[in-house]
Amino acid sequence: MADPKSRPAFPKAQPTTEPKSPLEASPEPPLETSPETSLEPLEVDDTACFFDYDNGSSQASSTQSLSSSIKDHVYENGRKYHRKSTDEDNKYLLPSDETEFDRLDMTHHMSLVILDGELHKAPIKGDPHNVLDCGTGTGIWALDFGSIHPGSHVIGVDLAPNQPSWTYPNVVFQTDDLEKAWTYKKNHFDFIHSRMVASAIKDWSKYTKQMFDHAAPGAYVEISEHSMAHIYCDDGSVPEDSVFYAYGNNLSDALLTLGVDVRQFSGSFFKRHLEEAGFVDVQVFTYKVPWGSWPKGKKFKYLGAVCAEILKTGFEAYGLMAMTRLLNMPAEEAREICTGCYNTIIEGKQRGYGFQWHVIGRKPEAAAE
């Protein structure tokens, strides 16, 4: 991973009185009055497509010796997986190799594009003293936050030790299972950030309740997740027999065998769990993320190109191990579905998109035990 200080800076979002773009609905009204699919349709740009990302060298670096890496990992379908994460109840079925580290860092970049360079939607003021980053992945969000907030103490936690051995003085990484009992102090964290952990969380009620118990009174939490089971389309260009549906249905069925029902995911789903845990002032920010550079508008087109680059390995990262191990699907068939999805994106005739949700909530000041 490159030094965070060497990454190009993104401009901070500035207050504006202009209408919001179709990309964002902020905040999201209750689902029954304004479903996510009511966002303004994306317009197709028939002029040209571009994909300006190359396959440059990985930004992630190994944090273990070769011998240790071999012992701690398993290899299936040509990809490397963290042994403990996959062998222990199939807890986490995404790869743990350089290709995946690049994808995770690119996903972080996509989040910055969506949020106009911001790391979060929560109204954080100053340097929150104690910060927890759940599902830290390569640690890139935690490092960026720690760099911007030198007065914060940031803990990044993940199932797999895929983080760099070097950090800023105020950032530490830990390996742990977020679904087990948290051992942190209660009423402790001034900001809890959770991103892209949905495929590994079976009990969202327990997960958000632990967030509530360990958040300090007045603290904010933020959940950032994306749609996984569905593809959305505004112009009818995605047919019923699309390979996208084959992928979504098989991935959903596979994860359901583990008790993870990704078909439920929506902004309102995460909002409800935060409210039931006790958080107040819960808001949902919903964004459309095009699969490919087919939309009009500079930001949409660029965002779609970045998403396509992520999905080049993302379909395989989420689906390959899940389909072969949990559905007993032949590897060739699973890989054909994943490759078919990416090739369909490159072709540009099926103009689909997914949703990205940022859901924030605040723990009441009087909630301390």
Side-chain angles (χ1 to χ4, degrees):
M1 183 192 306
D3 188 332
K5 294 181 179 178
S6 67
R7 300 191 194 97
F10 286 85
K12 295 286 186 178
Q14 299 296 323
T16 177
T17 58
E18 296 177 359
K20 291 183 179 294
S21 75
L23 186 66
E24 178 182 357
S26 167
E28 178 193 35
L31 183 63
E32 61 271 14
T33 60
S34 180
E36 286 130 356
T37 51
S38 69
L39 294 178
E40 185 176 337
L42 296 176
E43 294 185 65
V44 180
D45 185 351
D46 295 324
T47 58
C49 290
F50 72 93
F51 295 91
D52 59 356
Y53 271 88
D54 57 29
N55 294 320
S57 60
S58 171
Q59 296 179 355
S61 60
S62 173
T63 60
Q64 298 176 318
S65 67
L66 178 61
S67 59
S68 175
S69 177
I70 293 174
K71 293 177 182 178
D72 291 346
H73 292 85
V74 295
Y75 295 81
E76 291 191 24
N77 306 312
R79 299 298 299 272
K80 183 173 75 171
Y81 298 83
H82 189 245
R83 183 183 299 275
K84 183 177 181 180
S85 301
T86 54
D87 288 354
E88 187 177 302
D89 301 324
N90 294 310
K91 184 67 179 177
Y92 186 75
L93 298 178
L94 275 71
S96 180
D97 54 24
E98 293 294 321
T99 299
E100 176 66 358
F101 300 159
D102 283 347
R103 186 190 71 83
L104 291 174
D105 284 351
M106 183 70 78
T107 299
H108 176 70
H109 173 67
M110 185 178 75
S111 295
L112 293 177
V113 174
I114 291 173
L115 299 183
D116 295 321
E118 300 288 351
L119 288 171
H120 50 80
K121 291 295 294 184
I124 302 300
K125 296 181 180 179
D127 292 351
H129 188 62
N130 294 302
V131 178
L132 180 66
D133 182 30
C134 303
T136 196
T138 63
I140 191 169
W141 185 93
L143 289 168
D144 278 1
F145 191 93
S147 175
I148 296 171
H149 299 277
S152 298
H153 175 66
V154 185
I155 297 176
V157 61
D158 202 279
L159 273 171
N162 296 330
Q163 302 77 43
S165 55
W166 56 264
T167 71
Y168 295 119
N170 60 328
V171 179
V172 297
F173 296 117
Q174 300 177 355
T175 302
D176 207 345
D177 185 345
L178 290 167
E179 285 208 297
K180 294 182 179 179
W182 292 12
T183 57
Y184 306 111
K185 296 179 182 178
K186 291 191 175 182
N187 302 303
H188 178 67
F189 292 105
D190 302 290
F191 181 38
I192 298 178
H193 175 261
S194 173
R195 186 171 72 180
M196 307 298 190
V197 301
S199 64
I201 300 296
K202 297 183 178 71
D203 190 342
W204 274 92
S205 294
K206 178 181 177 181
Y207 182 51
T208 52
K209 183 61 168 61
Q210 294 210 94
M211 286 183 172
F212 186 85
D213 290 343
H214 293 271
Y220 279 92
V221 298
E222 180 164 344
I223 294 174
S224 175
E225 293 293 344
H226 61 93
S227 52
M228 295 180 63
H230 307 288
I231 182 172
Y232 301 88
C233 178
D234 292 335
D235 64 1
S237 61
V238 179
E240 293 183 0
D241 62 350
S242 172
V243 67
F244 293 141
Y245 292 124
Y247 178 88
N249 287 331
N250 279 294
L251 177 62
S252 300
D253 290 344
L255 294 177
L256 192 59
T257 67
L258 302 178
V260 179
D261 188 359
V262 298
R263 290 186 174 96
Q264 297 186 68
F265 293 167
S266 68
S268 297
F269 172 85
F270 300 112
K271 179 177 186 288
R272 173 172 58 85
H273 280 288
L274 284 182
E275 289 176 335
E276 290 177 352
F279 291 101
V280 298
D281 301 332
V282 180
Q283 293 178 294
V284 179
F285 299 86
T286 301
Y287 304 87
K288 286 183 175 182
V289 181
W291 290 10
S293 58
W294 52 264
K296 289 183 178 180
K298 184 177 180 180
K299 180 173 180 177
F300 282 116
K301 186 177 292 294
Y302 181 70
L303 179 61
V306 173
C307 181
E309 181 67 13
I310 292 169
L311 292 174
K312 178 187 288 187
T313 59
F315 287 119
E316 181 180 282
Y318 277 98
L320 191 57
M321 174 75 90
M323 293 179 192
T324 56
R325 178 175 286 201
L326 303 178
L327 298 183
N328 296 315
M329 183 183 292
E332 296 78 9
E333 181 180 349
R335 198 180 298 277
E336 182 178 354
I337 292 175
C338 296
T339 302
C341 286
Y342 179 68
N343 289 340
T344 300
I345 288 177
I346 295 301
E347 190 178 40
K349 294 181 180 179
Q350 297 186 29
R351 296 176 286 274
Y353 61 87
F355 282 113
Q356 184 77 29
W357 302 290
H358 282 257
V359 188
I360 64 173
R362 180 177 59 84
K363 183 171 180 176
E365 293 284 353
E369 293 182 354

